Amino acid sequence: MTIEVRNLVKKFGSFAALDGVDLKVNDGELLALLGPSGSGKTTLLRIIAGLDWPDSGEVAFNGEDALAQGARERHVGFVFQHYALFRHMSVFENVAFGLRVQPRAVRKDEATIRRRVKELLDLVQLDWLADRYPSQLSGGQRQRIALARALAIEPRILLLDEPFGALDAKVRKELRKWLRSLHHEIHVTSIFVTHDQEEALEVANRVVVMDKGRIEQIGSPDEVYETPATAFVHGFIGESVELAVQVEGGVIRLGDRQLNLAADGLASGASKLFVRRHDMLVGPPGSGAFEGAVQHVRNFGPVQRTEVALSGGETIEIDAPRDRELRAGDTIGLEPRRYRIFANA
Amino acid sequence: MTMQIAEPVSLSQSAAKARAHAAAARNNLRTEPKAVRIAIIALAIVFLSVFIVLPLVLVFAQAFSKGILAYLAALAEPEALAAIKLTLVVATISVSLNLIFGLVAAWAIAKFEFTGKTFLITLIDLPFSVSPVISGLVFVLLFGAQGYFGGWLRDHDIQILFAVPGIALATTFVTFPFVARALIPLMQEQGTQEEEAAISLGASGLQTFFRVTLPNIKWGVLYGVLLCNARAMGEFGAVSVVSGHIRGETNTMPLLVEILYNEYQFVAAFAIASLLAMLALITLIAKTILERHLDEGHDINDD
Amino acid sequence: MGLTLTWLSVIILLPLAGLFLKSLELSPEQFWNILSSRRTLNALRVSFGLAFAAACVNLVMGSIIVWALVRYRFPGRRLFDAIVDVPFALPTAVAGVALTALFAEKGWLGAPLAALGIKVAFTPVGIFVAMIFIGIPFVVRTVQPVLQDLDPEIEEAAGSLGASRWQTIIRVILPSLAPALLTGLALAFARAVGEYGSVIFIAGNLPNVSEIAPLLIVIRLSEFRCADATAIAAVMLVVSFVIIFAVNRLQRWAQNRVPAR
């Protein structure tokens, strides 16, 4: 099932939750909607599910108008952030719910329903919990039951709202891997919303980065990380050194200093320079585009996180490899291996 | 006569689409069709109007049916004045007693762990679920002529039943839960940390209570007292059993309403009733205001 | 602590214990004779039967009122919300005379009803009406907070799984409210069974027909038949205990179903 979203606008009062969103989701894809809170990602998901309606714009499933259908008719599996399990029903009945409420004409018989629920519980590896109630389950188990319940209706599309948001770090990691392999197995077009970049990059085939009701970039995890399309994406994904610079006729200035960096094809004006923390190479004083004094060093796994006061006064944090030990007070030169410059909007 | 009728066919495709979208959107997951909504609201309003608003309005309409002078004259009757005075006296006694009992009971339940706590909470609620007539009856059984203490009381010439002490006791019993009920959740929520801090700073038990605990629960106390007072002034069943209906002496306002009504003195009966209804309305308004304070109190306790 | 328990016992337990002791003074045979007398049985039947019927009406109407107050916006909503508490706050005697005057043959509602051939005041129907009046806040105030706190997501979940609105209400919302609904029913019933002030004016108090049990207690007491009064009271008290116990269990049931997030 493909999903096509055209020029979607949704306002809550004067706040534009979605401000002209276009998106095409391919069949069988696992897509992440990534953005800070308030970026409109959940609103987009809810509109696709039929839980909200846009003020204007189009949503089409396989080319057919989805907005003319209510949530009941869309056959969309939705997994809620807080699972929304029916707490008065056993796990089994929760999963069976979607099958039991089908119109009489198409409703399966009891034996088929039982078999199907059993299959789904096997799929999420929780068949042994069938008779428990939601309050007796752990967070991760509830999440998986909510997923099994959504899959019971054989959805054309699977939507997950912050699927791992309410779980603790360890369970979250396990479930990520599991969701990936599950998607591999069932191959239904899926979209999940997250504010956690690591989650988006690790799980999804493609990532949609959103901010303030707009899509900033759509691309594979590699693309959004390696070649961010906008200053927002660069700042939001991965950890970067961010410096306010001035571009004038092919020359880049940081404060009153001219940086020895190529600025071919850049428009003049106030801009932002981004360098990944680990892309700042440390050399002897005078060896790179920047020079500064080491303020503080913390050893951090494979890297030493180093606070450097640049000679112009700005303080930046870089991740230097541990092959050469840095000490507070050292003067060093810094050369960005790669960098990107975005003109200020 | 000719009329122009808009042809649905002539609607543009985009308008038809918009209409389909609107129809689907109206089919919202969390609400009902408009007709059902209106029917439910209408049912609720009619029910509340017939069963609650009308009786309330009727009390005042009847009280003033012969004009304001008749109304005032009815209230100025010595019997009416005596009933009002007795009601105030009884309410003062039982509210004060229950204030103390309620504070102590709530304190014990909220701040300490002990066996039988659940039982104690049930016990506090008991007067709510026991018929007021039975509440009156138990005092007759205790202090009546054939009661457990009846003989002793007669020998010592102490009058409890058919006198103010009996009425006050029965009222206290019936209104017991109000203060404690209002305070238990409040005190449980506030926990014991502040008190422990005060004690660790060298405050004595009483100082802690008056300087730390009480200011924290003052709105709750007021809330409990308010409801307790409303019930104390309006209690009928229990008081009716123990009062003896001695005119001008042991008739509270609700009892006088009954007597006057049964004597077909409707204006007088409803005049007294209107005072009690006013009390109820004022109580409800004050309660609404206090509830707002209690909600805010979660954040701003110290003003 | 010990002091608290003692006070509580004195103020609540002692009087009630007195009642049970007194009823124990009766031989089982006496006890049985009192209870099985036609007038007592009829009074208990009137009290319990009508109280249950009224509580059921309150359950249905209370649910409708809660639904309107919580889910819909309409002019005067806050006022009607506040008005629900009137039966709590209005002294029972005042409610009694007001309802009687309202439903009497010449009353505002009694007159039109009489024209339809329906007599309310001074019949069992009157008792029923008064019991509905005093019971309604119990259902509304126990169910209202639960419906307010009901997670909107569970309705959306049901809808997205294909359930119709009606299926969502029957299979998801009502079961979620069940403990609160039953608690409200029990509280309204308990209150109506024991109610005296608002009922006796409108009841007509005809023995065997429209005489409620609490009134019979008062009558027996005024006839100095203390034993009879005590026996009836003991039965009603036992029912109160059972209801309190049931309500406590219901509350625990409701708490156990709350998922620990």
Side-chain angles (χ1 to χ4, degrees), chain B residues 29 32 51 120 126 131 287, chain C residues 8 16 72 85 133 165 194:
Chain B
L29 291 180
E32 292 73 37
F51 277 89
L120 197 60
L126 204 58
S131 172
K287 174 173 161 282
Chain C
L8 271 174
L16 293 177
Y72 304 144
D85 278 333
F133 170 84
R165 185 64 189 157

Side-chain angles (χ1 to χ4, degrees), chain C residues 123-196:
Chain C
T123 70
V125 184
I127 303 177
F128 179 60
V129 165
M131 284 174 168
I132 292 174
F133 170 84
I134 47 126
I136 195 69
F138 289 90
V139 175
V140 174
R141 292 299 181 234
T142 37
V143 179
Q144 195 175 22
V146 183
L147 183 63
Q148 259 159 359
D149 290 346
L150 199 67
D151 187 357
E153 283 188 354
I154 68 162
E155 285 165 66
E156 293 180 342
S160 77
L161 289 168
S164 68
R165 185 64 189 157
W166 182 244
Q167 283 173 319
T168 304
I169 290 173
I170 296 295
R171 287 169 173 257
V172 175
I173 299 179
L174 278 185
S176 303
L177 299 181
L181 286 168
L182 288 176
T183 304
L185 179 83
L187 292 175
F189 175 68
R191 176 70 198 265
V193 164
E195 183 54 22
Y196 179 68

Side-chain angles (χ1 to χ4, degrees), chain B residues 175-190:
Chain B
T175 55
F176 181 80
F178 287 99
V179 178
R181 271 278 110 178
L183 291 183
I184 290 170
L186 205 62
M187 289 172 93
Q188 269 173 340
E189 190 184 317
Q190 280 162 354

Side-chain angles (χ1 to χ4, degrees), chain A residues 323-343:
Chain A
D323 47 5
R324 184 183 148 196
E325 198 157 319
L326 296 174
R327 268 195 215 94
D330 290 354
T331 304
I332 52 173
L334 292 170
E335 175 67 13
R337 175 165 38 192
R338 279 182 306 177
Y339 59 93
R340 291 181 75 85
I341 292 172
F342 298 99

Side-chain angles (χ1 to χ4, degrees), chain B residues 130-171:
Chain B
V130 171
S131 172
V133 168
I134 297 179
S135 307
L137 172 70
V138 294
F139 289 99
V140 174
L141 294 182
L142 287 181
F143 303 120
Q146 307 158 325
Y148 290 101
F149 306 117
W152 186 86
L153 289 171
R154 196 175 51 236
D155 295 344
H156 290 78
D157 205 19
I158 301 171
Q159 185 77 21
I160 289 190
L161 232 45
F162 315 130
V164 178
I167 298 174
L169 261 180
T171 308

Side-chain angles (χ1 to χ4, degrees), chain A residues 22-262:
Chain A
D22 291 281
L23 176 64
K24 208 167 174 329
V25 187
N26 304 322
D27 187 37
E29 180 164 46
L30 177 54
L31 188 86
L33 293 180
L34 173 65
S37 57
S39 59
K41 53 194 192 310
T42 296
T43 307
L44 178 56
L45 198 73
R46 288 176 58 88
I47 288 176
I48 294 173
L51 301 175
D52 267 328
W53 255 261
D55 299 331
S56 65
E58 300 290 328
V59 179
F61 293 169
N62 269 353
E64 126 204 8
D65 182 17
L67 291 181
Q69 293 179 320
R72 292 179 190 103
E73 294 92 41
R74 285 194 203 176
H75 279 280
V76 168
F78 198 99
V79 178
F80 291 85
Q81 186 175 2
H82 297 292
Y83 325 125
L85 292 177
F86 307 131
R87 56 188 191 182
H88 61 279
M89 293 181 197
S90 67
V91 162
F92 184 94
E93 286 303 323
N94 262 284
V95 177
F97 183 86
L99 301 171
R100 294 205 193 283
V101 297
Q102 280 180 333
R104 210 175 291 277
V106 292
R107 198 183 302 158
K108 317 254 189 327
D109 60 81
E110 183 64 24
T112 315
I113 291 178
R114 295 199 154 269
R115 202 172 54 241
R116 178 90 185 107
V117 173
K118 174 90 176 51
E119 281 167 18
L120 286 161
L121 289 175
D122 283 341
L123 181 71
V124 298
Q125 299 152 11
L126 289 177
D127 51 317
W128 49 287
L129 289 178
D131 297 327
R132 300 275 186 90
Y133 283 82
S135 57
Q136 299 167 303
L137 305 183
S138 73
Q141 289 168 341
R142 280 182 213 163
Q143 175 66 53
R144 284 193 271 169
I145 296 303
L147 194 59
R149 184 179 69 176
L151 290 174
I153 59 168
E154 289 171 31
R156 305 188 289 174
I157 298 165
L158 185 61
L159 303 175
L160 306 99
D161 186 8
E162 295 277 4
F164 315 113
L167 301 172
D168 55 51
K170 189 167 168 290
V171 182
R172 198 183 296 195
K173 287 220 155 124
E174 284 169 17
L175 271 183
R176 267 188 222 163
K177 256 185 240 150
W178 176 79
L179 180 66
R180 246 191 105 89
S181 60
L182 182 81
H183 179 258
H184 195 71
E185 209 170 317
I186 58 177
H187 234 79
V188 59
T189 310
S190 308
I191 306 179
F192 72 98
V193 155
T194 179
H195 63 269
D196 181 340
Q197 43 163 313
E198 210 181 310
E199 207 163 277
L201 300 184
E202 194 181 313
V203 179
N205 307 131
R206 274 205 306 159
V207 178
V208 176
V209 186
M210 295 186 68
D211 184 42
K212 296 187 183 126
R214 289 174 171 278
I215 291 181
E216 295 277 325
Q217 186 173 5
I218 305 176
S220 70
D222 277 353
E223 280 163 5
V224 294
Y225 185 82
E226 297 297 339
T227 52
T230 65
F232 172 81
V233 177
H234 208 309
F236 189 70
I237 295 178
E239 292 182 302
S240 303
V241 172
E242 193 179 324
L243 290 167
V245 295
Q246 198 72 30
V247 180
E248 275 161 24
V251 174
I252 303 170
R253 289 178 180 282
L254 174 65
D256 51 7
R257 281 158 302 143
Q258 185 176 332
L259 297 179
N260 187 16
L261 294 171

